[in-house]
Amino acid sequence: MRTDGWIEACAVDDVDLEDVIDVDHQGQTFAIYRSPDDTFHATDGICTHEHAQLADGLVMGHLIECPKHNGRFDYTTGEAKRAPACVSLRTFPVEVEAGRVFVKVR
């Protein structure tokens, strides 16, 4: 079992290719993405502008579009890419091991 700030977020099969799910851990929501190149990424799970669940948004390539106001973020970097979103998301290191996705939380 991992320690030192890593949490077990989900199984690899829980996230479809080019999709996102949300994971709650100790009062914090994370968004876990599976990119077109089959790598995993993690960001804050709540939009920085309207506080909507990003897992309800639309994934397009490496972008997540907020379901509430259509602001976009690059989920690989967290960068806000389209207004009205102007504050970037935090990103978190991800590792995949034995079919499980782990996220290093701060």
Side-chain angles (χ1 to χ4, degrees):
M1 181 171 188
R2 287 176 174 260
T3 57
D4 67 355
W6 289 91
I7 62 164
E8 185 174 334
C10 61
V12 166
D13 293 340
D14 291 342
V15 188
D16 293 333
L17 195 63
E18 295 188 75
D19 205 1
V20 57
I21 66 167
D22 63 344
V23 173
D24 291 319
H25 177 73
Q26 296 182 346
Q28 185 173 0
T29 302
F30 299 92
I32 310 297
Y33 307 86
R34 191 169 187 175
S35 69
D37 62 358
D38 203 23
T39 58
F40 288 83
H41 303 272
T43 68
D44 289 314
I46 306 295
C47 176
T48 58
H49 177 253
E50 285 289 335
H51 308 292
Q53 295 277 350
L54 290 174
D56 294 334
L58 177 64
V59 175
M60 301 164 287
H62 289 104
L63 297 176
I64 180 70
E65 183 175 84
C66 178
K68 196 166 187 179
H69 59 72
N70 301 328
R72 291 185 184 168
F73 302 91
D74 181 329
Y75 64 75
T76 64
T77 65
E79 182 182 0
K81 297 297 247 177
R82 184 168 93 180
C86 60
V87 176
S88 296
L89 300 168
R90 293 181 301 169
T91 60
F92 302 89
V94 175
E95 290 186 3
V96 176
E97 183 178 297
R100 305 299 297 174
V101 178
F102 295 88
V103 176
K104 184 157 188 165
V105 298
R106 294 182 175 94

